[in-house]
Amino acid sequence: MLRRIFVHEMQSNANIDAFYALRRNQVKKSIKDVYGKNGTTIDVRMLAYSTVINMMTSMFWGGTLEGDIGANINAQFRDAVSELLIIWGKPNISDFFPFPASFDIQGIQGDMKRASRWMEKIFDFVIDPRTKNNTNISNNDFLDFLLEFKDHETRKSLSRPQIKALSCDIVIGGTGTTSTSFEWTMAELMLHPEVMKKTQEELTKVVGDANVVEEYHFHKLPYLQAVVKETLRLHPSAPLLLPRCPSQTCTLGGYTIPKGAKVFLNAWAMHRDSQLWENPYEFRPERFVGDSNKLDFSGNKFHYIPFGSGRRMCAGLHLGERMLMYTLATFLHMFHWKVPDGEKPDTGEKFGIVLEKSTPLIVIPTPRLNNLKLYH
Ligand code: HEM
């Protein structure tokens, strides 16, 4: 039920549109920050992570937490999400040897419980004033939506644990994936200056030099879309998707899969299979331009599934796509980017539930547009 609420109710196009102003404000803040660092080095992972998490918190509880308290709670939230993502990605021996699982040999379960309690406290802190004061003031954010939600058929509201569980899934599912995809795209563009040039030329043509990128520009940016698709092919942010578990013993491709087995689908390997892709290890956005552009994120063509496929596919697909496109288009349109002299970005990967670059991408931004007012 929670998945249905999130996918069909919260993520309708109208709702995603309604939260656009909140996302835009956060990206504007990041532009100002980057502008302030003009000519010096910045860590793209930090930039992407803080921009995405700020968009998330802004969509969750909007501008209701202002001043020092707001800054503090947002910072705590950022730390709690980072910690949960790290714990979530750790290989857990108990998954493979269920017998000693109750001993929690690596302490992963304990760490997870502690971080989840921390996260819950933050949600309680934000939810309490809204339910206690009963002010009826509309904040137009995710939290309002969840607090006011009533099932069409049963007329039942969501309980507080349900609200917190759903919120946690959304934030954990959306933050690392989107920010990592941003960093990988920037890394590939730094390694392929000709692709960077073409992407920025397209932005100049479509957006112009006197305007900022808006979400309505996206459908006129096929090359940037191709760059994003190609990045997600080579660097799918959840390389093994989420584990499946058959409810019945079944046979697939001649293999018997017992009921209850944990099944991982290796999207990373499928995206690099030379029987399915020409020169699979090369970064070539052109493969997604024109006719082959028919490949999309719907998960219907099984050789390209960066957002997964089927009933458990990414619940935040539309929002994730928009946040990624918007941040990339904006930063590429507003700034020139170069790596520090003598350095070359690498494409080494770090194992985890989210596929991160093994070393952070460090770059130097300089303003690209003449109208400096656009940076404030
Ligand atoms: C570039 C951005 C993103 C990518 C590449 C991505 C990718 C994925 C993938 C591959 C899965 C597993 C699907 C499967 O196993 O079939 C997944 C699940 C999920 N994603 Fe995303 N995601 C992104 C953004 C987001 C955002 C922004 C949100 C929330 C706002 C989100 C929420 C979720 C949730 C809740 C699940 C779990 C679904 C379930 O268990 O049924 N994702 N995502």
Side-chain angles (χ1 to χ4, degrees), residues 127 130-131 142-149 157-158 163:
I127 296 171
R130 297 204 191 181
T131 49
F142 277 0
L143 211 48
D144 257 3
F145 178 93
L146 294 172
L147 289 167
E148 284 162 19
F149 178 80
S157 307
L158 293 173
I163 293 181

Side-chain angles (χ1 to χ4, degrees), residues 28-44:
K28 270 189 181 171
K29 279 186 196 161
S30 293
I31 289 170
K32 208 171 152 190
D33 282 354
V34 174
Y35 181 70
K37 292 178 184 144
N38 175 9
T40 62
T41 53
I42 62 163
D43 179 334
V44 174

Side-chain angles (χ1 to χ4, degrees), residues 235-247:
H235 313 288
S237 43
L240 300 179
L241 308 185
L242 291 177
R244 265 67 175 173
C245 183
S247 54

Side-chain angles (χ1 to χ4, degrees), residues 3 6 11 56 142 169-171 173-175 177-178 181 232 237-238 241-242 244 305-309 311-317 319-321 323-324:
R3 185 185 159 100
F6 179 52
Q11 278 212 87
M56 283 289 197
F142 277 0
D169 267 7
I170 297 171
V171 177
T175 311
T177 45
T178 312
S181 304
L232 292 177
S237 43
L241 308 185
L242 291 177
R244 265 67 175 173
I305 47 172
F307 287 87
S309 182
R311 285 167 63 186
R312 300 304 302 278
M313 82 174 290
C314 178
L317 159 57
L319 185 56
E321 190 184 354
M323 290 202 294
L324 182 58

Side-chain angles (χ1 to χ4, degrees), residues 23 55 86 155 159 165 230 242 268 355:
R23 295 193 289 281
M55 282 197 263
I86 292 169
R155 305 305 299 153
S159 65
E230 178 68 341
L242 291 177
W268 184 94
L355 187 74

